[in-house]
Amino acid sequence: MDLKAVIFDWAGTAVDYGCFAPVAAMMSVLGEEGITVTPDQVRLHMGMKKRDHIGELFRMEEVAAQFEKVHGHRASETEIDVIYEKIDRRLTDSLPEFSSPIEGFLNVVSQIRAMGLKIGSTTGYTKSMMEVVAANAARQGYAPDHIVASDEVPAGRPAPWMCHENMRVLNAFPASFCVKVGDTVADIKEGLNAGMWSVGLVMGGSEMGFSEEEVQSADRYLLMKKAYETAERLYEAGAHYVAVFNSELPAVFKKIDARITRGETPSAAGRSLVTEGESNTSVLRSFRNAELSAESAELVKRDDAVFLGQALSSPCLDLATECKGSGFTLTGGRKVLDFHGNGVHQIGFGNEHVIEAVAEQMDTLSFCPRRYTNEKAVLLAEKLTELTGMERVLFAPAATLAVSSAIKLAMKITGKTKILSTYGSFHGASLDALSAAGDSGFLSGIRGFDIGENFLPYDSYRCIFGDCSACGHKCLELLEKRIKENNNVAAVMLEAVRCTTVHVPDRAYFEKLDNICHRYGVLKIFDETAAGLGRSGKWFSYQHFGIEPDMVVAGKGLGGGVMPLACLMARKGLDGAQDISIGHYTHEKNPVACVAGLAAIDFMEKEGLPEEAGAKGDNFGTVLNALHKKYSHVIGDVRHLGLMAAVEMDKNVKERNFIAEYVMYESLKAGLSFKVSAGSVLTLSPALTITEGELGRAAEILDSALAQVRI
């Protein structure tokens, strides 16, 4: 490894779960002096050199005033020294009781040793205190390679000198090849000032402040909220990573080592800032991981070790063993209703009608090169033109590639190069699709084509212009202004209904949009990847609003939940790119994928799924609105169209993002999967084949999870 050394804190990190020895000693001695302090007040400056810590306590007005009430004057430095000496003796006498390694820490040390890393340590304790702690810890199996106490250097934390002394003795340099781990803000700042990677630890630490008994007996919601708040404080202090449990530390060290190998130095925090789905580095994810079965945990670990890491995808949540109908089966036979499904499950998972058609096709024509055609591809293209009124079709193996084709066609037809999209939108993960869209989370640190610009979206709940029903759609006034100023706009690309947040514009919005586009010769590209194919209650969501697109992109469920398949559809008059290739994909007319698409559409028609989605969605919307009324202190808005629904946490509640994620993980535990979008929106998109009973079960799970939330 390029990583050379790990420098651990002691109390609250390696020993003394909850860091109670200093708290008990300080509260006891100060109480004898007539001064009452709370554990939170004592912990505020935990991690510092103990004399400095006491000095900070006496700088608090409420502490200084209590001393003055007893003694008639504010405490002098000499008087503080006397009190500190009493605390020093009380703390030293108590340390044998608080020197046992925290559960799991010795296993972490063993893994670190196996990595070939050196182990140093720093502390707010004095050298004489550490002689007691270290001797007791060594008898129980923990002996770092070096210990530096706060009185052995010119200044304690947050000064870097203890870290630097460890580096000198351990011959571990440069500082950017070392990691400092601790449970307090002072620890984080010590590591940062030393030029090291700083890693915070939540459970067992002073910032968390819970004993093992309190953790075991704590209310689940309040425990996780406290852990979340603790992690946020450590991140705000500058932590590059925060581990909730010490068992996570070896994996964190491997991530840091990989960043060092790439030439990175201690810089940005290593957590995902993307909000279009469950975070894979969050506090709540850590609690979820801790509850995985051994079989699931092992495969998730193997998955994380072999796949490239990326936000929203890796590491994975759990191990799936079967998919059928409205959901999945996980290890141990646990059933999960899937209201996420990556948007592919319109006709349910494992649809036999599709699987039989695919199996039959694979026996005859399993692949078709681009220079040949095949009947299934032609039939599917013809069916799609029938459903949309479009004239031309181009298939692709993924919707982001169909979006790419749409962008190229728009540029070719208009001779212009700018694509306008809604703020925060997502039209696929390819570089051109990302460049044209507005989700900055997917482009952080990435530079690509300068083809996109975002205008303000329709947002009925958080629009910056205020009330969308009364403002006259000022966002479209801004759109027109940008088109006039730019004079190079080829197309506007948007979802008729934003699938992740389910904002449903009115007809007037689209009439105004249509007029603007016609006036300036701007094409309209509707991305129906997630909202199309019956989910909205019509075949495509734009069909609710009386607007005629120039192009339509479809994908996800087009392959029947079995095959990857997407397409671009274009109206009459846009077939004008014969001299270039706007697609040219290897699997452009894959007969197996196309027969899956035909079978999926056939099944939807025979079962009347688009119409059913409208009726079921109205019923489900009524249930969700009842939850809104019941939990109005938590839920700010409910929106739905067909079987697309959004339950948004109250925009005025500070902890709304935490609440949304908590509800998601508690629902997962109870058997309901969905995604969290835009940080605080529960996005619910079930299979169109879902039963009313399953919808009722989902509502019960949501109700139970929301009932645990307390503001």
Side-chain angles (χ1 to χ4, degrees):
M1 299 184 78
D2 289 313
L3 187 64
K4 296 183 181 299
V6 179
I7 315 299
F8 282 110
D9 172 50
W10 278 87
T13 299
V15 300
D16 186 9
Y17 193 103
C19 194
F20 281 95
V23 175
M26 290 182 191
M27 291 181 68
S28 173
V29 171
L30 289 173
E32 293 168 3
E33 297 289 329
I35 300 171
T36 301
V37 291
T38 67
D40 286 344
Q41 287 175 320
V42 173
R43 292 184 187 281
L44 188 60
H45 299 286
M46 193 68 77
M48 298 179 69
K49 183 177 180 178
K50 290 297 168 273
R51 174 57 180 84
D52 296 339
H53 189 166
I54 301 304
E56 290 294 335
L57 276 173
F58 275 90
R59 289 186 181 89
M60 294 181 181
E61 177 58 30
E62 52 268 46
V63 174
Q66 289 185 68
F67 184 93
E68 185 175 14
K69 185 176 181 179
V70 173
H71 298 280
H73 62 273
R74 297 291 170 115
S76 67
E77 290 299 315
T78 300
E79 289 169 314
I80 295 174
D81 282 339
V82 171
I83 292 173
Y84 165 69
E85 288 171 4
K86 293 180 181 179
I87 291 173
D88 185 316
R89 290 193 295 272
R90 187 76 50 86
L91 177 56
T92 301
D93 290 343
S94 72
L95 285 176
E97 181 185 349
F98 295 96
S99 300
S100 297
I102 292 172
E103 184 178 357
F105 184 72
L106 293 180
N107 184 46
V108 171
V109 170
S110 177
Q111 292 183 62
I112 293 172
R113 295 293 191 197
M115 294 178 193
L117 300 176
K118 297 175 181 177
I119 299 177
S121 63
T122 68
T123 178
Y125 289 161
T126 62
K127 184 178 181 180
S128 60
M129 292 176 186
M130 279 310 306
E131 288 173 352
V132 176
V133 174
N136 279 277
R139 282 193 291 271
Q140 297 176 71
Y142 176 51
D145 298 317
H146 191 57
I147 301 170
V148 181
S150 59
D151 59 348
E152 294 183 287
V153 290
R157 298 171 184 146
W161 312 128
M162 286 190 288
C163 283
H164 286 171
E165 181 62 13
N166 271 282
M167 287 172 57
R168 184 188 69 80
V169 173
L170 298 176
N171 193 31
F173 65 91
S176 59
F177 282 44
C178 301
V179 180
K180 174 64 178 52
V181 181
D183 59 293
T184 67
V185 167
D187 282 298
I188 300 303
K189 292 182 176 179
E190 176 189 27
L192 294 176
N193 289 335
M196 296 179 175
W197 299 87
S198 279
V199 176
L201 184 61
V202 175
M203 300 303 289
S206 177
E207 288 290 324
M208 183 71 182
F210 277 30
S211 68
E212 292 177 280
E213 292 75 20
E214 287 172 322
V215 169
Q216 293 300 319
S217 63
D219 172 270
R220 184 175 175 84
Y221 177 79
L222 295 179
L223 174 67
M224 291 187 180
K225 184 180 177 184
K226 176 71 171 178
Y228 170 82
E229 292 168 346
T230 299
E232 287 301 301
R233 285 196 300 275
L234 295 171
Y235 273 125
E236 287 168 6
H240 300 103
Y241 292 87
V242 173
V244 177
F245 302 101
N246 58 28
S247 59
E248 300 172 73
L249 289 172
V252 170
F253 300 152
K254 290 177 182 178
K255 290 178 182 178
I256 292 173
D257 180 67
R259 294 180 70 175
I260 293 171
T261 301
R262 293 195 298 270
E264 295 185 43
T265 54
S267 54
R271 60 173 172 170
S272 170
L273 300 179
V274 179
T275 58
E276 282 302 319
E278 67 280 352
S279 172
N280 51 16
T281 57
S282 73
V283 168
L284 291 172
R285 172 65 77 94
S286 294
F287 279 98
R288 166 78 179 182
N289 290 345
E291 295 170 345
L292 287 177
S293 67
E295 183 181 359
S296 292
E298 176 60 24
L299 195 64
V300 167
K301 182 179 179 181
R302 286 168 55 196
D303 179 285
D304 191 34
V306 74
F307 287 104
L308 285 168
Q310 56 177 332
L312 310 183
S313 299
S314 180
C316 293
L317 270 171
D318 208 328
L319 169 59
T321 59
E322 183 182 20
C323 63
K324 200 71 177 176
S326 300
F328 277 90
T329 302
L330 305 178
T331 50
R334 292 168 294 142
K335 302 290 186 181
V336 176
L337 283 172
D338 196 343
F339 280 44
H340 183 342
N342 291 119
V344 307
H345 61 331
Q346 278 91 334
I347 59 172
F349 295 111
N351 186 286
E352 291 182 3
H353 186 66
V354 173
I355 291 174
E356 289 173 4
V358 166
E360 183 179 343
Q361 182 63 41
M362 291 183 72
D363 283 338
T364 54
L365 184 67
S366 59
F367 180 75
C368 183
R370 281 188 305 268
R371 61 175 55 193
Y372 298 100
T373 189
N374 64 86
E375 185 182 23
K376 302 305 182 185
V378 175
L379 285 172
L380 181 57
E382 290 172 342
K383 187 63 182 179
L384 288 167
T385 61
E386 175 190 324
L387 294 174
T388 61
M390 298 287 106
E391 184 179 76
R392 299 283 179 164
V393 177
L394 186 64
F395 292 121
T400 187
L401 301 177
V403 166
S404 177
S405 294
I407 291 170
K408 286 180 275 189
L409 181 58
M411 291 180 177
K412 178 67 174 176
I413 292 296
T414 65
K416 299 177 181 180
T417 60
K418 187 65 71 175
I419 307 295
L420 299 184
S421 62
T422 58
Y423 180 76
S425 63
F426 178 69
H427 297 284
S430 63
L431 192 53
D432 50 357
L434 287 173
S435 298
D439 197 319
S440 59
F442 285 83
L443 276 174
S444 178
I446 306 296
R447 296 293 176 266
F449 310 111
D450 182 21
I451 62 176
E453 183 178 341
N454 316 126
F455 68 88
L456 293 174
Y458 181 95
D459 187 331
S460 56
Y461 184 60
R462 291 181 291 182
C463 183
I464 66 169
F465 292 122
D467 184 359
C468 280
S469 63
C471 76
H473 303 304
K474 285 190 172 74
C475 51
L476 294 182
E477 294 177 16
L478 177 62
L479 168 65
E480 182 171 15
K481 182 175 184 293
R482 294 303 299 132
I483 291 174
K484 289 167 66 175
E485 290 174 351
N486 193 289
N487 197 34
N488 189 35
V489 177
V492 169
M493 181 164 60
L494 74 163
E495 296 169 284
V497 177
R498 180 79 172 97
C499 72
T500 51
T501 50
V502 197
H503 286 289
V504 186
D506 53 26
R507 276 182 172 253
Y509 175 89
F510 286 107
E511 288 171 0
K512 188 169 184 177
L513 172 67
D514 203 25
N515 288 334
I516 292 170
C517 290
H518 278 302
R519 192 177 308 135
Y520 297 99
V522 174
L523 299 177
K524 302 181 297 296
I525 303 170
F526 278 84
D527 186 351
E528 293 277 350
T529 301
L533 293 170
R535 187 168 296 285
S536 69
K538 292 184 180 292
W539 279 102
F540 294 95
S541 63
Y542 74 84
Q543 293 170 338
H544 288 271
F545 307 107
I547 191 170
E548 295 296 328
D550 296 296
M551 297 182 231
V552 177
V553 171
K556 290 190 179 291
L558 184 58
V562 175
M563 298 296 296
L565 180 64
C567 71
L568 164 64
M569 295 170 275
R571 65 163 170 80
K572 184 178 181 179
L574 294 186
D575 185 22
Q578 290 89 344
D579 57 326
I580 64 171
S581 292
I582 61 172
H584 201 67
Y585 303 120
T586 299
H587 286 269
E588 195 167 284
K589 293 180 181 177
N590 186 313
V592 178
C594 289
V595 81
L598 281 168
I601 292 172
D602 180 61
F603 183 85
M604 293 176 72
E605 286 185 319
K606 288 179 178 178
E607 299 295 324
L609 292 187
E611 297 79 12
E612 278 198 14
K616 290 176 183 175
D618 287 342
N619 294 338
F620 192 49
T622 299
V623 173
L624 293 178
N625 280 316
L627 290 178
H628 183 187
K629 184 176 181 179
K630 184 176 182 180
Y631 300 107
S632 58
H633 61 296
V634 175
I635 299 173
D637 197 27
V638 168
R639 304 177 292 273
H640 73 93
L641 181 66
L643 282 173
M644 296 187 294
V647 177
E648 183 158 2
M649 301 301 103
D650 192 322
K651 60 188 175 184
N652 298 311
V653 174
K654 181 181 178 182
E655 59 267 39
R656 60 188 177 277
N657 286 15
F658 169 79
I659 293 171
E661 193 175 4
Y662 179 83
V663 171
M664 182 194 73
Y665 279 117
E666 287 302 289
S667 297
L668 275 170
K669 188 177 180 181
L672 174 64
S673 174
F674 54 83
K675 72 182 294 186
V676 172
S677 302
S680 59
V681 180
L682 314 183
T683 305
L684 307 164
S685 299
L688 308 191
T689 55
I690 196 165
T691 67
E692 292 290 355
E694 289 171 328
L695 285 170
R697 173 60 181 151
E700 290 173 0
I701 291 172
L702 282 172
D703 192 348
S704 178
L706 286 162
Q708 299 173 44
V709 175
R710 287 179 296 288
I711 304 299

